Amino acid sequence: GQNIDQPTEMTATEGAIVQINCTYQTSGFNGLFWYQQHAGEAPTFLSYNVLDGLEEKGRFSSFLSRSKGYSYLLLKELQMKDSASYLCAVRVSPSDSGNTPLVFGKGTRLSVIA
Amino acid sequence: DAGVIQSPRHEVTEMGQEVTLRCKPISGHDYLFWYRQTMMRGLELLIYFNNNVPIDDSGMPEDRFSAKMPNASFSTLKIQPSEPRDSAVYFCASRIAGGSYNEQFFGPGTRLTVL
């Protein structure tokens, strides 16, 4: 089976830095995604990692270690609008086609407080 | 582009009734996915299509659920008969093969309540 684990909830202070971890055990791996989902809204794409290392995108960065089955999403200079759920998702594919669906973790609900 | 369109946005029905959810993917996208999201189970893939053909329906809970994609711009997810445990938010997503990240674009979802 496929297993993706993330913390259920986190709280952080406005202006601070927060790291949301994700570990996965899947039958295959062809990329890891992070999505942001505000309450009552659809998930929206944040980042993608397929090779080991850090991908930076403004205030958001995502890291991947394939050997450890581990990723994290780093949010800097937190703003109140960053309060949302953050979903880790793995493309489980034995090939490089990329044409397989994603398996999602249950998400981490982040609350940013003043 | 209007993005992925879903209707209705909210549906309240009684147990035993038939429910039909609709989705229009982004024009030009050749993959379409149906997901269900609950607090307990998170976001679960129900079925996905490639070029209107169902590829994997192993996530469909049982025979009460069925999905069709008669053409590239329309898909339906039907529940018949509906049960209270089907209450969830149902998302449709689409993507294009070979896109920059192959990311999926989600519709706004249909919040289904079965009484």
Side-chain angles (χ1 to χ4, degrees):
Chain A
Q2 322 293 1
N3 196 40
I4 299 176
D5 286 318
Q6 330 177 210
T8 304
E9 290 186 81
M10 297 183 72
T11 301
T13 306
E14 195 176 14
I17 299 173
V18 71
Q19 178 174 312
I20 302 174
N21 295 325
C22 171
T23 57
Y24 62 90
Q25 295 166 309
T26 56
S27 56
F29 180 86
N30 193 20
L32 187 143
F33 294 76
W34 284 94
Y35 278 79
Q36 181 190 58
Q37 185 178 23
H38 285 100
E41 297 183 10
T44 55
F45 170 75
L46 279 181
S47 69
Y48 171 70
N49 296 69
V50 67
L51 299 176
D52 289 353
L54 189 69
E55 294 283 340
E56 297 189 74
K57 234 178 169 184
R59 294 190 299 115
F60 292 6
S61 304
S62 56
F63 171 83
L64 175 67
S65 168
R66 288 173 298 171
S67 62
K68 294 181 179 177
Y70 168 68
S71 173
Y72 68 72
L73 180 69
L74 194 71
L75 292 76
K76 303 175 187 175
E77 301 169 14
L78 279 173
Q79 302 175 10
M80 300 298 283
K81 67 178 182 178
D82 297 330
S83 293
S85 286
Y86 291 86
L87 309 177
C88 173
V90 172
R91 173 170 290 130
V92 181
S93 169
S95 72
D96 290 332
S97 68
N99 292 326
T100 53
L102 304 179
V103 178
F104 282 84
K106 291 185 180 178
T108 299
R109 189 161 54 249
L110 174 66
S111 299
V112 180
I113 58 176
Chain B
D1 200 321
V4 176
I5 298 172
Q6 291 187 245
S7 65
R9 295 292 308 276
H10 301 273
E11 176 84 22
V12 180
T13 190
E14 293 189 345
M15 183 173 64
Q17 296 298 305
E18 177 179 295
V19 175
T20 299
L21 311 181
R22 298 174 177 79
C23 175
K24 176 178 167 55
I26 293 172
S27 177
H29 282 195
D30 46 7
Y31 282 84
L32 184 140
F33 306 85
W34 281 102
Y35 289 90
R36 178 172 66 177
Q37 188 175 41
T38 60
M39 289 290 289
M40 290 294 294
R41 302 175 68 91
L43 199 60
E44 301 175 284
L45 177 70
L46 299 176
I47 184 172
Y48 79 99
F49 296 82
N50 176 217
N51 292 322
N52 315 336
V53 176
I55 303 301
D56 184 354
D57 65 354
S58 59
M60 296 285 260
E62 48 200 89
D63 292 345
R64 298 184 298 106
F65 286 68
S66 62
K68 293 181 180 179
M69 192 164 186
N71 57 62
S73 58
F74 183 66
S75 177
T76 59
L77 178 68
K78 187 176 292 188
I79 308 172
Q80 166 63 19
S82 58
E83 297 182 2
R85 59 189 167 132
D86 302 330
S87 297
V89 181
Y90 290 81
F91 287 103
C92 175
S94 71
R95 72 169 174 84
I96 190 166
S100 53
Y101 299 113
N102 282 345
E103 76 268 32
Q104 298 176 14
F105 296 84
F106 284 79
T110 296
R111 181 172 296 276
L112 174 65
T113 303
V114 183
L115 303 175

